[in-house]
Amino acid sequence: MSRTDLAALIKEQQAAYADLQARGLKLDLTRGKPSSAQLDLSDELLNLPRGFKDGSGTDVRNYGGLAGLTELREMFAELLWVEPEQVVAGGNSSLTMMRDCLIYLLLFGARDGDRAWGKEDTIKFICPVPGYDRHFTLLESLGIEMVTVPMHDDGPDAEAVAALVKADRSIKGMWIVPTYANPAGSICSQEVAARLASMETAAHDFKIFWDNAYALHHLTEEEAKSADILTLAAAAGHPDRPIMFASTSKITFAGAGVAFLAASEANVAWYLGHLGKGSIGPDKVNHLRHVQFFGSAQGVRDHMAKHREIIAPKFAEVDRVLSERLGGYDVATWNKPQGGYFVNLDVVPGTASRVVALAKEAGIALTPAGSSFPYGDDPDDANIRLAPTMPPLEEVTAAMEAVATCVLLAAAEQAQGD
Amino acid sequence: MSRTDLAALIKEQQAAYADLQARGLKLDLTRGKPSSAQLDLSDELLNLPRGFKDGSGTDVRNYGGLAGLTELREMFAELLWVEPEQVVAGGNSSLTMMRDCLIYLLLFGARDGDRAWGKEDTIKFICPVPGYDRHFTLLESLGIEMVTVPMHDDGPDAEAVAALVKADRSIKGMWIVPTYANPAGSICSQEVAARLASMETAAHDFKIFWDNAYALHHLTEEEAKSADILTLAAAAGHPDRPIMFASTSKITFAGAGVAFLAASEANVAWYLGHLGKGSIGPDKVNHLRHVQFFGSAQGVRDHMAKHREIIAPKFAEVDRVLSERLGGYDVATWNKPQGGYFVNLDVVPGTASRVVALAKEAGIALTPAGSSFPYGDDPDDANIRLAPTMPPLEEVTAAMEAVATCVLLAAAEQAQGD
């Protein structure tokens, strides 16, 4: 672009940005929250359960039942492609289950380990990037160091992971969102999963935290099937390596759903053994509520189709606006996710922070630049996570128009500065 | 008693015990669980909440609100005699909140401390005995050593506690059930509470885990008011010393209630800061359900009166049977609790295990002897915890008749052996 064209572009985008500021918008694309319309899909839960006994006649109102209601474990075992005995139905947060597992590992050690992880001088986790900010915050809070590897379309760079874990026994685990990853939308292939399940690790109690948060959250009719990590790991002689997490937070109510952990039966026993010291059992009334609401595993799948109808148009709108506004310039790339809750936007290196700051001043809240990297540090300052599910469609349009303006303005500013 | 009388007594009790075995009973007095009739009192919860917004218009179905619903915090602040800002409404288990606090202290340290407790060679807690077995199991699982002090009618032996904490900086905390203690039924007096709040401690980040599980669980119209430990501690210059716990587990549904933590605002900020790393917020739908069900703090008090109507006759029956069957012999003492969930039975030293074993063989499950002591070790083998709330009244009668027989037989056996 010539300096004249560039000057014209800047002027144009500055004018567009001034218009934007004048509109006094107040929009929020920060978090992957379901919208009211999505939450409404589950309002029948507010009138459930009918009765208070599960299939075996247990009174769900009372204490006990640490592993959760059998019917619910069976339902989600089918959905997660595992056995009911491998599933624990817990409270309202899979993040809490992840944290509890990390804490048990730090304080007590893995069932296939020699000693508590906390006894080691250094503990590291491999984090594919971009990734989920709360995973990173959690590790940081526990003093677990993070080593990054690139996230590809078929999952984490398995060869990079394999080389790291073979060489360094302080690397005790890795995080992965296998299906419709946050934020890149990647789907971990069978091959990558098999490599992770079978790779040689210097730490023989290495753990894969398999956060299948979006296992059922398809945005198209082409529904990805998550790799069967428990079977792959067992077949490779590492049955206790993966611990899977999932929840209904983005299926029923975000704050009042049910979270799940799935792992080898030995790992489940390990988890429940520690959990039982500080729990009186999960909220089984909420378990029964969910069992009755869904009816069956197919009921869950049918329910997810209703979510898709609500949110797929928002993702399409993100792509439409970005394509129309940015397609003519070489200033950004973004993905068209087949599922999950995010669009991963990569802008001109060095401008992501500026884009987020410009958007903020115009009333559009975006996730802070760098959030998808450990310690909030995106070395390229290029990555922005967009979360379009929560606002109504017209606000998604307005917000994306604004984001496009900010991306262009920041890119033009940088080009001028060069 | 002469040898002839003793022989006659043994014969008589052996016959009674044979009769007992022949009845093929299957009764359970092990745990402090509410009965079905008590749970029925809260069945309206199964059809709540109406709507999904709290008083400020927040959609309780979505993520967020780490400290819990404002209205519920206000309601229980009134009931626990603290300020709403000092209260956190959490998940379904106060035991989990206690464990989380212990884990935060071990991994991160207290807000008024220098470093993580886990960095110390040894950490000890003072445990008044008899006490709550799950407190002890939790400490043991975390490698925290236990030092016992006697529990008196007015609470823990405050002078014994004060002497210990002054001399030993590895003593970092103590446990207390201040109101209708498990299992002794003691009520911590204002004086004892004030002493604990103000005593000099070698560890300046000493914590009182004030587990007010039975704050509202009166068995008579003479309702004990718990000492105001937060105010006492603040007045004594130790605002961050106490952390209070409570729950509705024995108010609404045992497994699907709401747990509470109350502490100084600084401690609340400390707790939420750590909690937020691994939580997406509590189940606010269940919070709203409870707000609507109770209506007000007075609604909770009124509700507790209904519990009393159901369970007070069971406690009266325990006392009646024990008095009638054991009153003529010098073989046992027990308390008549004014609240809570337990009767504390002390039998002839050296016979508690035998009594529990005899009862078990006759089909009556009692809490294992020694359960109310750290490591399950009752040095006198004299203490048995009776939990009469769960079985219907006629089963309480049958169970207590059986227990009386076992107490007498075990005492007679021992006398014969001497």
Side-chain angles (χ1 to χ4, degrees), chain A residues 33-48 248-255 293-294 303-304 306-307 310-311 314 341 389-390 392, chain B residues 50-53 57-63 285:
Chain A
K33 286 184 173 184
S35 64
S36 299
Q38 288 177 271
L39 296 168
D40 290 347
L41 295 173
S42 301
D43 274 353
E44 194 189 328
L45 281 173
L46 300 172
N47 303 311
L48 291 173
T248 73
S249 288
K250 293 182 177 90
I251 298 177
T252 56
F253 292 155
F293 176 66
F294 291 128
H303 185 75
M304 292 313 292
K306 298 178 197 163
H307 279 284
I310 294 172
I311 64 174
K314 298 182 184 181
Y341 261 59
T389 55
M390 176 101 167
Chain B
R50 293 174 296 274
F52 48 77
K53 299 216 168 163
T58 299
D59 188 333
V60 299
R61 302 169 302 179
N62 222 323
Y63 290 119
V285 175

Side-chain angles (χ1 to χ4, degrees), chain A residues 32-37 39-41 43 45-49 51-52 59-64 92-93 95-97 99-100 103-104 106-108 132 134 137-138 141-142 249-250 253-257 274-286 289 390, chain B residues 32-37 39-41 43 45-49 51-52 59-64 92-93 95-97 99-100 103-104 106-108 132 134 137-138 141-142 249-250 253-257 274-286 289 390:
Chain A
K33 286 184 173 184
S35 64
S36 299
L39 296 168
D40 290 347
L41 295 173
D43 274 353
L45 281 173
L46 300 172
N47 303 311
L48 291 173
F52 49 77
D59 187 333
V60 299
R61 302 170 303 180
N62 223 322
Y63 290 118
N92 72 331
S93 170
L95 189 68
T96 300
M97 289 176 129
R99 189 197 56 173
D100 284 352
I103 285 173
Y104 302 158
L106 286 170
L107 292 178
F108 312 117
Y132 178 32
R134 299 198 69 152
T137 311
L138 184 49
S141 76
L142 295 170
S249 288
K250 293 182 177 90
F253 292 155
H274 294 302
L275 181 72
K277 299 293 193 298
S279 168
I280 51 100
D283 182 342
K284 299 185 299 300
V285 174
N286 205 32
R289 199 174 275 131
M390 176 101 167
Chain B
K33 286 185 174 185
S35 63
S36 299
L39 296 169
D40 291 347
L41 295 174
D43 273 354
L45 281 173
L46 299 173
N47 303 313
L48 291 174
F52 48 77
D59 188 333
V60 299
R61 302 169 302 179
N62 222 323
Y63 290 119
N92 72 331
S93 169
L95 189 68
T96 299
M97 289 176 130
R99 190 198 56 172
D100 283 353
I103 285 173
Y104 301 159
L106 286 170
L107 292 178
F108 313 116
Y132 178 31
R134 298 199 68 153
T137 310
L138 184 49
S141 76
L142 294 170
S249 288
K250 293 181 176 91
F253 292 155
H274 293 303
L275 181 72
K277 300 293 193 299
S279 168
I280 51 100
D283 182 341
K284 299 184 299 301
V285 175
N286 205 32
R289 199 174 275 131
M390 177 103 168

Side-chain angles (χ1 to χ4, degrees), chain A residues 80 84 270 327:
Chain A
L80 298 170
W270 167 86

